[in-house]
Amino acid sequence: MQQFGLENIRNMVLLSHSGAGKTSASEAILFTAGAITRLGRVQDGTTTSDYDPDEVKRQISINLSILPCQWKGVKINLIDTPGYSDFVGEVRAAMRVAEGAIIVVCAASGVEVGTQQVWSYCEEANLPRLIFINKMDRENADFYRTLEQLQFRFGSKCLPLQLPIGAQDSFEGIVDLLTMKGYIGSQAKEGEPPSSLQTKADSFREKMIEAVAEVDDRLIEKYLEGEQLSAEELSGGLRQAVVAGRIVPILAGSAIKNVGFTLLLDAIHSYLPSAKERDVVIVGDTAKKAERIEPSQDAPLAALVFKTSADPYVGKLTYFRVYTGVINSNSQVWNASRGGAERIGQLFIPRGKNQEPVSQLNAGDIGAVAKLTMTSTGDTLCSQDKPVKLAPIHFPEPAFSLAVHPKTKTDLDKLGAALSRLSEEDPTLQVRREADTNETILSGIGESQLEVAAEKMMRKFGVGVRLETPKVPYKETITVPAKAEYKHRKQTGGHGQYGHVFLELEPLPRGSGHEFVDRVVGGAIPRNYIPAVEKGVNEAFKEGVLARYPVTDVRAKVYDGSFHPVDSSDICFKIAGAGALKKGLSQGQPVLLEPIMNLKVTVPEEFTGDIISDLNTKRARVQGMSPGDGVNIIEAQVPLAEILRYSIDLKSITQGRGSYKAEFSHYEEVPAHVTQKIIAERQAEKA
Ligand SMILES: Nc1nc2c(ncn2[C@@H]2O[C@H](COP(=O)(O)OP(=O)(O)O)[C@@H](O)[C@H]2O)c(=O)[nH]1
Ligand SMILES: [Mg+2]
């Protein structure tokens, strides 16, 4: 097993809008580098990256995959990511452990919403990157149109390093603007660039050289004096510019035809930073401030866990990246995040579904280990004498929820365990119990993610569930004070039943809950029966008289009653208490209450009008807007019932460019016309 040092490892994340060809490109890269011997296809479900049954079925990537290969003495750990926005958690995790990115753009579709999204993530993370314009063979493929869009959106630092030879049906190869050589076909056969491209190539080459010269005082001097820069100066300067984020070189090719990948591998090798070139960010236990240290093989171990997957056969699989030091098979490490020791068994290098056992993993590298007990995603593994915590991964907050209903009793028994395994695998999934509606709520980023989760539960853990829109926890209350009397009396043969209660009901301010007060004087109801009255009242509070939702914000005061020395009992007073409450509620002009949420929507400015008019159809009250920096934040109060599927609405209004947060604020009276609808639905549901 060949060992690689920090300067010879490159962890590179593939990013794009869904469908631009990341998975196909990663397959072509592995094939070109000789890591695989057969070029798989997404349509056939035969790629190295998309091996999971969920991925094969849908023909999209859902999980990040680690795809190592070697090129000219350097180990490249490609990390393929899903482009579909529901799975952005995987993208975040992959970006956290990469020191460079390859942004794939489709030559026919050009810059898409997802392209802009991943570009902004890269800017945020300061991640050096290059752009690969893929699908040059496709109908409508247009390198120059795509280039224009790239420069328009992301600025003039996006510069072609190559030009395609031909396009669509006639696409056959690449001109490298630094060497001014042509490379034809999947073997990248070297030759002269076609004469028809000469003028264009010269002009783009000039732009690239000028931009490269600008990063270095020595080079710019030479350039301005009209001297030629040497090949070494050019490639050294370009590397410096790419690592500093001042140039984003643009390459081109076709994953399907396997054209352009020799040059792409060369570019990763020559221009993107090594693991040695990105600082390690440590967060102290107490200190809020992060500290940056240099990666080093000779330092004590620090490795970040960036993914956990639950495999029904292997058990739990933990993926980590080593930042400093070395990790060994069959050793013991310290989990600084949990404060406990973990036994490390056999280490693996994953490649898609295959795993190659290794005895050690060096600083800069990525690997996996099975069956850790306490470790989860985001944790730091280190040495016990020198504990450190690496900066965690920032996962987006869940914004979309569905209720999970087990299909059978057996499914119910296994549900909790399966859900907790799933949320361990995917930190953007959260599970909670909604006491008011008695539902288990699964929250995540989007609907597809939750559907995949449900399928996974069936496939991996044999738990069948239905996903449904969560119920709204409506409540009921009264709006005016009321008095009510209930006498429970029965004569059945031997000794009878008797309980008699007078209640006074009073509305309380929102959020008070319900209360029971005893004001009985003179023994009208003997002391020992009062707890039974209270029990009856409290039980009756659980189901209101309008639509059997729980009653809140009501005080029930028992102030009188009567009893029978022989026939009275606890149960009789319980029945009387409950009966009196029901009667009182009916007389108190009852209403439904619904949860109102504080909604905060962040969208590009141009969507503000559409967002507001949509909110107006949702009974929302817009509270404020704070425009700035191209985005607008709109704050509103809106009933929960209206935004149960808001993430879907928002996506369609903004083509996926908006985000939102909703937090519970308070309960409010439901308007009368809505109330009737809810009552009717509730009756239909019970029938
Ligand atoms: N014509 C053509 N199709 C491609 C190319 N690369 C990928 N595709 C197709 O585009 C679709 C999406 O590709 P995939 O690699 O899954 O994209 P990803 O979502 O970015 O991983 C698949 O049907 C691929 O076969 C290419 O270079 N040319
Ligand atoms: Mg993919």
Tab-separated table of all heavy atoms in Angstrom, residues 436-461:
chain	number	residue	atom	x	y	z
A	436	ASP	N	-49.513	17.131	21.289
A	436	ASP	CA	-50.893	17.578	21.092
A	436	ASP	C	-51.643	16.773	20.041
A	436	ASP	O	-52.853	16.585	20.134
A	436	ASP	CB	-50.924	19.052	20.696
A	436	ASP	CG	-50.656	19.948	21.902
A	436	ASP	OD1	-51.012	19.527	23.016
A	436	ASP	OD2	-50.091	21.039	21.716
A	437	THR	N	-50.925	16.329	19.007
A	437	THR	CA	-51.610	15.581	17.953
A	437	THR	C	-51.262	14.102	18.009
A	437	THR	O	-51.767	13.311	17.224
A	437	THR	CB	-51.203	16.102	16.557
A	437	THR	OG1	-49.776	16.011	16.448
A	437	THR	CG2	-51.635	17.540	16.358
A	438	ASN	N	-50.354	13.745	18.937
A	438	ASN	CA	-49.965	12.354	19.094
A	438	ASN	C	-49.326	11.791	17.825
A	438	ASN	O	-49.566	10.643	17.445
A	438	ASN	CB	-51.201	11.539	19.479
A	438	ASN	CG	-50.818	10.358	20.323
A	438	ASN	OD1	-49.707	10.339	20.877
A	438	ASN	ND2	-51.690	9.384	20.424
A	439	GLU	N	-48.540	12.624	17.134
A	439	GLU	CA	-47.889	12.169	15.908
A	439	GLU	C	-46.373	12.209	16.063
A	439	GLU	O	-45.838	13.031	16.800
A	439	GLU	CB	-48.270	13.072	14.729
A	439	GLU	CG	-49.682	12.867	14.239
A	439	GLU	CD	-49.978	13.745	13.025
A	439	GLU	OE1	-49.631	14.936	13.023
A	439	GLU	OE2	-50.575	13.228	12.074
A	440	THR	N	-45.696	11.316	15.332
A	440	THR	CA	-44.244	11.378	15.236
A	440	THR	C	-43.911	12.210	14.001
A	440	THR	O	-44.374	11.913	12.900
A	440	THR	CB	-43.651	9.971	15.071
A	440	THR	OG1	-44.028	9.212	16.214
A	440	THR	CG2	-42.141	10.021	14.976
A	441	ILE	N	-43.143	13.266	14.215
A	441	ILE	CA	-42.874	14.207	13.130
A	441	ILE	C	-41.429	14.061	12.668
A	441	ILE	O	-40.502	14.126	13.465
A	441	ILE	CB	-43.108	15.664	13.596
A	441	ILE	CG1	-44.515	15.830	14.188
A	441	ILE	CG2	-42.861	16.633	12.451
A	441	ILE	CD1	-45.631	15.737	13.198
A	442	LEU	N	-41.264	13.858	11.367
A	442	LEU	CA	-39.926	13.785	10.768
A	442	LEU	C	-39.710	15.068	9.977
A	442	LEU	O	-40.509	15.410	9.109
A	442	LEU	CB	-39.849	12.566	9.844
A	442	LEU	CG	-38.502	12.269	9.193
A	442	LEU	CD1	-37.435	11.978	10.230
A	442	LEU	CD2	-38.623	11.089	8.221
A	443	SER	N	-38.635	15.793	10.317
A	443	SER	CA	-38.364	17.057	9.632
A	443	SER	C	-37.057	16.957	8.875
A	443	SER	O	-36.118	16.311	9.317
A	443	SER	CB	-38.254	18.206	10.634
A	443	SER	OG	-39.382	18.235	11.454
A	444	GLY	N	-37.008	17.633	7.739
A	444	GLY	CA	-35.791	17.646	6.934
A	444	GLY	C	-35.775	18.848	6.018
A	444	GLY	O	-36.437	19.847	6.288
A	445	ILE	N	-35.033	18.725	4.912
A	445	ILE	CA	-34.886	19.866	4.005
A	445	ILE	C	-36.001	19.885	2.968
A	445	ILE	O	-36.466	20.938	2.563
A	445	ILE	CB	-33.513	19.804	3.275
A	445	ILE	CG1	-32.375	19.602	4.281
A	445	ILE	CG2	-33.274	21.039	2.431
A	445	ILE	CD1	-32.178	20.746	5.230
A	446	GLY	N	-36.433	18.720	2.513
A	446	GLY	CA	-37.463	18.714	1.477
A	446	GLY	C	-38.181	17.378	1.396
A	446	GLY	O	-37.829	16.406	2.069
A	447	GLU	N	-39.207	17.358	0.550
A	447	GLU	CA	-40.086	16.200	0.462
A	447	GLU	C	-39.358	14.944	-0.045
A	447	GLU	O	-39.548	13.860	0.496
A	447	GLU	CB	-41.248	16.550	-0.466
A	447	GLU	CG	-42.440	15.633	-0.303
A	447	GLU	CD	-43.638	16.116	-1.117
A	447	GLU	OE1	-43.432	16.819	-2.125
A	447	GLU	OE2	-44.764	15.764	-0.738
A	448	SER	N	-38.523	15.112	-1.076
A	448	SER	CA	-37.835	13.931	-1.623
A	448	SER	C	-36.940	13.290	-0.579
A	448	SER	O	-36.822	12.072	-0.503
A	448	SER	CB	-36.961	14.294	-2.817
A	448	SER	OG	-37.713	14.959	-3.768
A	449	GLN	N	-36.280	14.132	0.197
A	449	GLN	CA	-35.399	13.602	1.237
A	449	GLN	C	-36.194	12.731	2.204
A	449	GLN	O	-35.745	11.635	2.584
A	449	GLN	CB	-34.756	14.772	1.991
A	449	GLN	CG	-33.856	14.340	3.129
A	449	GLN	CD	-33.588	15.468	4.103
A	449	GLN	OE1	-34.328	16.462	4.147
A	449	GLN	NE2	-32.542	15.334	4.879
A	450	LEU	N	-37.394	13.179	2.594
A	450	LEU	CA	-38.192	12.404	3.535
A	450	LEU	C	-38.726	11.130	2.882
A	450	LEU	O	-38.823	10.081	3.525
A	450	LEU	CB	-39.334	13.257	4.095
A	450	LEU	CG	-38.920	14.547	4.815
A	450	LEU	CD1	-40.107	15.159	5.546
A	450	LEU	CD2	-37.793	14.300	5.811
A	451	GLU	N	-39.044	11.216	1.587
A	451	GLU	CA	-39.499	10.008	0.889
A	451	GLU	C	-38.378	8.973	0.806
A	451	GLU	O	-38.606	7.784	1.015
A	451	GLU	CB	-39.972	10.366	-0.521
A	451	GLU	CG	-41.364	10.960	-0.514
A	451	GLU	CD	-41.727	11.617	-1.836
A	451	GLU	OE1	-40.918	11.523	-2.788
A	451	GLU	OE2	-42.811	12.222	-1.898
A	452	VAL	N	-37.180	9.454	0.511
A	452	VAL	CA	-36.036	8.537	0.480
A	452	VAL	C	-35.838	7.923	1.863
A	452	VAL	O	-35.586	6.718	1.992
A	452	VAL	CB	-34.754	9.270	0.017
A	452	VAL	CG1	-33.518	8.420	0.264
A	452	VAL	CG2	-34.861	9.645	-1.452
A	453	ALA	N	-35.988	8.737	2.894
A	453	ALA	CA	-35.825	8.240	4.265
A	453	ALA	C	-36.835	7.126	4.550
A	453	ALA	O	-36.502	6.111	5.152
A	453	ALA	CB	-35.975	9.382	5.263
A	454	ALA	N	-38.079	7.318	4.091
A	454	ALA	CA	-39.113	6.305	4.330
A	454	ALA	C	-38.776	5.008	3.599
A	454	ALA	O	-38.926	3.913	4.147
A	454	ALA	CB	-40.472	6.840	3.885
A	455	GLU	N	-38.290	5.144	2.367
A	455	GLU	CA	-37.918	3.940	1.617
A	455	GLU	C	-36.741	3.213	2.269
A	455	GLU	O	-36.688	1.993	2.328
A	455	GLU	CB	-37.534	4.312	0.179
A	455	GLU	CG	-38.744	4.561	-0.685
A	455	GLU	CD	-38.367	5.063	-2.067
A	455	GLU	OE1	-37.289	4.703	-2.565
A	455	GLU	OE2	-39.168	5.831	-2.635
A	456	LYS	N	-35.805	4.015	2.765
A	456	LYS	CA	-34.641	3.459	3.433
A	456	LYS	C	-35.056	2.679	4.677
A	456	LYS	O	-34.508	1.622	4.985
A	456	LYS	CB	-33.745	4.618	3.854
A	456	LYS	CG	-32.286	4.392	3.543
A	456	LYS	CD	-31.479	5.532	4.095
A	456	LYS	CE	-30.637	6.188	3.028
A	456	LYS	NZ	-29.865	7.311	3.578
A	457	MET	N	-36.054	3.213	5.376
A	457	MET	CA	-36.518	2.546	6.591
A	457	MET	C	-37.035	1.155	6.268
A	457	MET	O	-36.823	0.201	7.004
A	457	MET	CB	-37.641	3.364	7.222
A	457	MET	CG	-37.180	4.111	8.427
A	457	MET	SD	-38.548	4.724	9.378
A	457	MET	CE	-38.965	6.165	8.499
A	458	MET	N	-37.737	1.056	5.125
A	458	MET	CA	-38.273	-0.230	4.700
A	458	MET	C	-37.129	-1.153	4.298
A	458	MET	O	-37.050	-2.293	4.724
A	458	MET	CB	-39.213	0.000	3.507
A	458	MET	CG	-39.931	-1.246	3.064
A	458	MET	SD	-41.102	-1.745	4.344
A	458	MET	CE	-40.839	-3.509	4.349
A	459	ARG	N	-36.227	-0.622	3.477
A	459	ARG	CA	-35.197	-1.469	2.886
A	459	ARG	C	-34.157	-1.904	3.908
A	459	ARG	O	-33.732	-3.047	3.939
A	459	ARG	CB	-34.531	-0.705	1.740
A	459	ARG	CG	-33.521	-1.496	0.950
A	459	ARG	CD	-33.135	-0.760	-0.325
A	459	ARG	NE	-32.728	0.617	-0.079
A	459	ARG	CZ	-31.549	0.977	0.393
A	459	ARG	NH1	-30.661	0.065	0.683
A	459	ARG	NH2	-31.258	2.249	0.587
A	460	LYS	N	-33.744	-0.939	4.755
A	460	LYS	CA	-32.658	-1.258	5.682
A	460	LYS	C	-33.148	-1.873	6.991
A	460	LYS	O	-32.472	-2.688	7.584
A	460	LYS	CB	-31.863	0.007	6.014
A	460	LYS	CG	-30.938	0.462	4.896
A	460	LYS	CD	-30.014	1.546	5.413
A	460	LYS	CE	-28.870	1.810	4.466
A	460	LYS	NZ	-27.968	2.843	4.992
A	461	PHE	N	-34.301	-1.416	7.455
A	461	PHE	CA	-34.728	-1.854	8.790
A	461	PHE	C	-36.063	-2.586	8.769
A	461	PHE	O	-36.590	-2.939	9.818
A	461	PHE	CB	-34.808	-0.648	9.730
A	461	PHE	CG	-33.555	0.191	9.716
A	461	PHE	CD1	-33.562	1.463	9.162
A	461	PHE	CD2	-32.361	-0.302	10.231
A	461	PHE	CE1	-32.404	2.226	9.128
A	461	PHE	CE2	-31.206	0.453	10.201
A	461	PHE	CZ	-31.223	1.722	9.649
